[in-house]
Amino acid sequence: MNGSGILDRRGTIFIVLVLAAGVLVPASNLLLSPSSPFYVSDYLVPLLGKYLCYALLAVAVDLVWGYCGVLSLGHGAFFALGGYAMGMYLMRQIGARGVYGNPVLPDFMVFLNYKELPWFWLGFNHFPFAALMVLLVPGALAFLFGWFAFRSRVTGVYLSIITQAMTFALMLAFFRNDMGFGGNNGLTDFKDILGFPITAGTTRGALFFASAIALVGGYLICRGLVVSKYGKVLVAVRDAESRTRFLGYKVANYKLLAWTLSAMLAGVAGALYVPQVGIINPGEFAPANSIETVIWVAVGGRGTLVGAALGALVVNAGKTWFTGVLPEAWLFALGALFVVVTLFLPRGIIGLWGDVSERLRKPKPDQVPEAEAPAKAAE
């Protein structure tokens, strides 16, 4: 860790760059002419916003994997639950403007002959309630899951498999039409958010800025946690859980707090993701998405927070380019990238950058310090 404070040099640079992007990208889209070389197109603004949401998800995963030693293969579930909470709010805002013109029931419910709005949809026409659910639903699920798993001392690959089973079970459940979440098609055709047209340029810019603020906020929360006394114990749990328990620390409680907070951050990332991509469906629960998130963290640098966000940005930018050139080869390229990073770059991009910087600062062997020059001359 570079420095004992919340903001070290690396973190400061990261925050400045993210906030600068949060202002400059929407401004370039709204204020510049399309003929300008610095113009950011309407397509790129939500795409880059999606990357920021993925970066926040990666930071959340790095908190539990990089500092707590819990390899989660199910964080896609918390991301999707936050997305569905936001999607339910957006669906309630459509009102009578839907295809069937029903002021209360979303179109898919009218199509499936629902007679009334399910009880768990009540309240989602209010943004504060939906925002609360974005935090509460993933947080409650993570708390219940972690309470039983950590107190049962389930660790290692067994815990990873259970997290993967959790998100797979949720995916199967949300695919069912009778669950009341749109089944296979999910939730889409959004119109407004907080009264503003969701496709308007200013709304896209505001969502991008909100994503940048959320990423910075999530980073600061996690960074503040890991540099505190709690964070020191968390690292001890990661490196020697049994020894930490024998010293008298309640390991389960430390892991449970980090796990629940991580899930809530993932939910926020999902909530910001949905209005920018315009849809949420059960495919977001797919275990492959959670595994891909782990790869982002590994590529960027596990246990660094900044590296996790950087890995998400780099891998997803590469995915956008690669799937446009050779879409059928992307999964092979992603797998090869993970293997290469694991074998040759165990500390990821951030670790590689640190090694290069250290070598550049180190004096060359043929450079003789001034104090040794007279002795060599006497010889």
Side-chain angles (χ1 to χ4, degrees), residues 14-53:
F14 171 73
I15 289 175
V16 169
L17 290 176
V18 172
L19 291 179
V23 174
L24 294 177
V25 169
S28 300
N29 173 255
L30 297 172
L31 303 178
L32 297 181
S33 168
S35 60
S36 172
F38 301 104
Y39 174 75
V40 178
S41 68
D42 294 342
Y43 165 76
L44 278 179
V45 174
L47 179 64
L48 296 176
K50 183 175 72 171
Y51 293 169
L52 292 181
C53 296

Side-chain angles (χ1 to χ4, degrees), residues 11-100:
T12 302
I13 294 173
F14 171 73
I15 289 175
V16 169
L17 290 176
V18 172
L19 291 179
V23 174
L24 294 177
V25 169
S28 300
N29 173 255
L30 297 172
L31 303 178
L32 297 181
S33 168
S35 60
S36 172
F38 301 104
Y39 174 75
V40 178
S41 68
D42 294 342
Y43 165 76
L44 278 179
V45 174
L47 179 64
L48 296 176
K50 183 175 72 171
Y51 293 169
L52 292 181
C53 296
Y54 286 155
L56 178 56
L57 174 60
V59 169
V61 172
D62 195 27
L63 175 63
V64 292
W65 186 33
Y67 293 93
C68 192
V70 177
L71 176 57
S72 171
L73 298 180
H75 257 59
F78 307 129
F79 180 84
L81 287 172
Y84 264 96
M86 178 57 70
M88 292 165 74
Y89 161 76
L90 296 173
M91 291 296 290
R92 293 300 309 274
Q93 300 308 299
I94 297 175
R97 291 173 294 173
V99 175
Y100 296 101

Side-chain angles (χ1 to χ4, degrees), residues 32 58 93 105 127 156 186 196 200 223 238-239 250 275 355 359:
L32 297 181
Q93 300 308 299
L105 297 180
F127 183 81
F196 298 97
R223 174 69 181 174
R238 178 196 68 189
D239 296 338
K250 295 183 178 180
D355 293 341
R359 289 182 181 180

